[in-house]
Amino acid sequence: MQKIRLSSGGEVAVRTAGDASKHALVLLHGFPSSSRTFRDVIAPLSGSVYVVAPDLPGFGASDLPPEPSFDTLSSSVEELLSHLNVGRRFLYLHDFGAPVALQLAIRAPELVEGLIVQNANAHRSGFGPQWADTLDFWAAPNAANEKAATAHMTLEGTRNQYVAGLPAEIAAQINPGGWIEDWRAMCLPGRLDLQKALLADYGRYVDRFGEVADYLAKHQPRAMLLWGRHDAFFDIAGSVVANGSSPNGGSHLRRRPFPSGDACAQGC
């Protein structure tokens, strides 16, 4: 891992591997993790692409961003990619990585080789009943609603990012080192305040879903959609239908357009 200082003065930690002359694969992690998420796949992927896996500002080993917003995170990653001379790129987006990657794509669609979408939301149908407290907070951002919406920002809530909704026998196979490291990083000065601010800012990302839909409809980027069958946070039922079973007991999914055609499924 290396650290690169940005024009803001802060440093962004990034893991890179492979031939920098090839198209890049930019791996953008979600809440509450870091590029550590990809530690087991970076080496295998680097045989085909130039892998770039940053710790988003305020996550992992990266410094806090100058402003707590997804626009700032996107600008920081954009500057990082420029520093690394990354041109054409595949963008992998997961969870909090979605607003970052999609903003990068909207800003420079000509550089996007394709999207890899894994449990990342870009349509209001992805918000199930478990988002009620967060939706209330976005509608009325007062102290009481913020407390309810951020109740998951604890060690137990961080653990749930890994095991919530999983059958017990699968959850037992997951190394607790992941959520322990995530929670350690989240407890660093300023980190929990950042997470609360980003949760609030995610509501502004939701307000821009129409812009995302316009980008997808206009540019139709090549894309692969992957979804964990036990996802406890984003609901994919409204956007896909099962189409047979896979060998590991999951389902193959095929696209079902959203009613107005303005959905992530347009490009996925």
Side-chain angles (χ1 to χ4, degrees):
M1 178 180 284
Q2 60 178 312
K3 288 190 174 183
I4 294 176
R5 187 169 296 279
L6 304 180
S7 58
S8 64
E11 290 186 328
V12 171
V14 60
R15 304 171 195 254
T16 60
D19 183 350
S21 68
K22 295 181 177 179
H23 288 336
L25 170 60
V26 182
L27 300 174
L28 296 170
H29 63 81
F31 169 86
S33 195
S34 67
S35 62
R36 185 178 184 276
T37 299
F38 310 110
R39 63 193 180 280
D40 294 331
V41 300
I42 288 176
L45 290 171
S46 68
S48 302
V49 290
Y50 178 48
V51 181
V52 179
D55 289 356
L56 293 174
F59 293 76
S62 290
D63 293 340
L64 289 167
E67 296 290 338
S69 72
F70 286 105
D71 274 349
T72 300
L73 267 59
S74 299
S75 295
S76 297
V77 174
E78 189 173 48
E79 184 177 346
L80 170 70
L81 296 179
S82 177
H83 181 91
L84 295 172
N85 296 313
V86 170
R88 299 283 295 180
R89 75 284 302 256
F90 295 91
L91 296 173
Y92 166 95
L93 48 150
H94 168 65
D95 189 70
F96 267 12
V100 177
L102 291 171
Q103 185 65 16
L104 291 173
I106 289 169
R107 290 177 182 176
E110 73 282 0
L111 296 178
V112 177
E113 190 70 17
L115 302 177
I116 303 167
V117 183
Q118 183 170 355
N119 297 67
N121 196 22
H123 196 273
R124 289 184 180 272
S125 64
F127 299 124
Q130 68 274 26
W131 281 81
D133 288 337
T134 303
L135 295 173
D136 287 344
F137 172 49
W138 291 339
N142 55 51
N145 284 344
E146 180 187 60
K147 182 177 180 180
T150 60
H152 63 287
M153 294 183 186
T154 62
L155 174 58
E156 182 63 21
T158 303
R159 175 181 179 274
N160 284 341
Q161 301 296 317
Y162 288 78
V163 301
L166 292 181
E169 64 274 14
I170 297 177
Q173 299 176 42
I174 297 178
N175 187 337
W179 63 78
I180 290 172
E181 172 56 24
D182 289 348
W183 181 242
R184 182 202 67 78
M186 287 177 65
C187 288
L188 295 173
R191 298 296 183 96
L192 283 174
D193 287 339
L194 170 68
Q195 297 302 334
K196 292 176 181 179
L198 287 178
L199 182 65
D201 194 60
Y202 197 92
R204 286 180 277 277
Y205 162 62
V206 171
D207 290 339
R208 291 159 59 184
F209 277 175
E211 183 182 358
V212 174
D214 289 343
Y215 158 77
L216 293 171
K218 179 179 180 179
H219 296 282
Q220 290 287 295
R222 294 187 297 171
M224 177 185 295
L225 175 64
L226 309 170
W227 213 266
R229 64 182 304 193
H230 300 295
D231 190 318
F233 303 102
F234 290 129
D235 185 1
I236 198 173
S239 57
V240 297
V241 290
N243 184 27
S245 298
S246 65
N248 65 1
S251 294
H252 298 300
L253 300 175
R254 56 186 170 89
R255 177 172 64 85
R256 183 172 71 195
F258 287 99
S260 63
D262 60 346
C264 179
Q266 283 278 353
C268 296

